[in-house]
Amino acid sequence: QVQLQESGPGLVKPSQTLSLTCTVSSGSLRSGAHYWSWIRQRPGQGLEWIGFIYYSGTGFYNPSLKSRVTILVDTSKNQFSLELSSVTAADTAVYYCARLTTEDFYFDYWGQGTLVTVSS
Amino acid sequence: QSVLTQAPSVSGTPGQRVTISCSGSSSNIGSKTVNWYQQLPGTAPKLLIYSSYQRPSGVPDRFSGSKSGTSASLAISGLQSEDEADYYCAAWDGSLKGVLFGGGTKLTVL
């Protein structure tokens, strides 16, 4: 059973960079059948796809966030990470990491999510 | 702003059958498969239906998916109190070159 776990600061100041890491257990990031993704959910709102990365390092990002987002992968640690720059209060959300299949683009495994609050 | 449109809420009584709809366009549902997620209160979303019709192992057959043209539906039969949750449709969008989620439908079991 693949497990994903988000980690990182729960509080980030406005204009700073939000950084989160997702650690994958019982599964390899080198799987050619999957992308590794970040999704967020603002308080009381729906789900928003942020982006995903392939083990090779190729990434795809939501155009609405693309200018501020970087997703990196570290296959040696079986981790991938999210960096979101120049954050504002609008970036306050629960951030989820998830595994995305390459065939029909569904998220089959999710982390439990981590709340990140942007506040001074 | 979701391009996949879902009704904000739906309700039903125990034992009843309810349907949740998801409307898209030719760049997403019209050309790709649809996936559905269930989010119980305070928890992470869980895959409920994939590839428009398939159920992951462990998902009861009370849940079923369908797709026609640029719309898709999730049906829940024999409604139970534990089905009370938010339900999201999602699909790959060729124009966005990414995954689109619907706005979500809150199911209330009366």
Side-chain angles (χ1 to χ4, degrees), chain A residues 6 15 20 24 42-43 47 50 59 67 77 84 86 90 95 97 100 102 104 107:
Chain A
E6 306 88 351
S15 80
L20 295 173
V24 179
R42 295 187 177 106
L47 301 168
I50 297 172
S67 63
K77 295 182 179 178
L84 181 64
S86 305
Y95 287 77
C97 59
L100 176 70
T102 59
D104 278 344
F107 300 100

Side-chain angles (χ1 to χ4, degrees), chain B residues 13 17 26 31 36 45 47 52 64-65 70 75 80 86 89 96 103:
Chain B
T13 56
R17 182 179 187 271
S26 58
S31 55
W36 292 89
L47 180 66
S52 301
S64 62
T70 58
Q80 299 180 3
D86 294 323
C89 61
L96 174 69

Side-chain angles (χ1 to χ4, degrees), chain A residues 44, chain B residues 4-12 16 18-22 36 74 76 79 83-88 102-110:
Chain B
L4 299 185
T5 302
Q6 298 181 242
S9 63
V10 68
S11 62
Q16 196 175 16
V18 297
T19 301
I20 297 172
S21 298
C22 177
W36 292 89
L74 171 70
I76 310 172
L79 201 59
D83 298 333
E84 193 161 279
D86 294 323
Y87 293 85
Y88 294 91
T105 298
K106 182 176 183 61
L107 170 63
T108 301
V109 181
L110 302 170

Side-chain angles (χ1 to χ4, degrees), chain A residues 59-72:
Chain A
F60 292 82
Y61 304 128
N62 189 322
S64 68
L65 297 168
K66 187 175 183 178
S67 63
R68 298 194 293 130
V69 172
T70 302
I71 298 177
L72 300 172

Side-chain angles (χ1 to χ4, degrees), chain B residues 18-73:
Chain B
V18 297
T19 301
I20 297 172
S21 298
C22 177
S23 177
S25 68
S26 58
S27 64
N28 41 70
I29 295 177
S31 55
K32 297 293 182 185
T33 60
V34 179
N35 309 300
W36 292 89
Y37 301 90
Q38 177 193 58
Q39 187 175 32
L40 297 169
T43 69
K46 166 192 159 186
L47 180 66
L48 196 64
I49 297 288
Y50 67 97
S51 304
S52 301
Y53 311 99
Q54 306 299 322
R55 281 187 309 276
S57 173
V59 173
D61 59 7
R62 302 186 296 106
F63 295 90
S64 62
S66 63
K67 190 186 100 161
S68 178
T70 58
S71 294
S73 294

Side-chain angles (χ1 to χ4, degrees), chain A:
Chain A
Q1 178 92 348
V2 176
Q3 294 184 313
L4 297 94
Q5 178 68 58
E6 306 88 351
S7 59
L11 181 64
V12 180
K13 288 182 166 50
S15 80
Q16 294 191 342
T17 296
L18 178 160
S19 296
L20 295 173
T21 296
C22 182
T23 301
V24 179
S25 306
S26 302
S28 173
L29 282 182
R30 292 185 177 272
S31 164
H34 302 101
Y35 296 115
W36 303 93
S37 314
W38 289 96
I39 299 129
R40 72 179 182 180
Q41 186 170 35
R42 295 187 177 106
Q45 302 299 309
L47 301 168
E48 179 181 25
W49 169 69
I50 297 172
F52 59 76
I53 194 165
Y54 198 49
Y55 75 92
S56 62
T58 302
F60 292 82
Y61 304 128
N62 189 322
S64 68
L65 297 168
K66 187 175 183 178
S67 63
R68 298 194 293 130
V69 172
T70 302
I71 298 177
L72 300 172
V73 64
D74 186 339
T75 55
S76 67
K77 295 182 179 178
N78 230 33
Q79 294 177 333
F80 61 105
S81 62
L82 169 70
E83 294 185 350
L84 181 64
S85 64
S86 305
V87 297
T88 69
D91 295 310
T92 293
V94 174
Y95 287 77
Y96 296 100
C97 59
R99 190 177 82 168
L100 176 70
T101 66
T102 59
E103 185 168 345
D104 278 344
F105 298 100
Y106 54 88
F107 300 100
D108 56 355
Y109 289 97
W110 295 67
Q112 65 185 27
T114 187
L115 173 63
V116 179
T117 301
V118 178
S119 174
S120 56

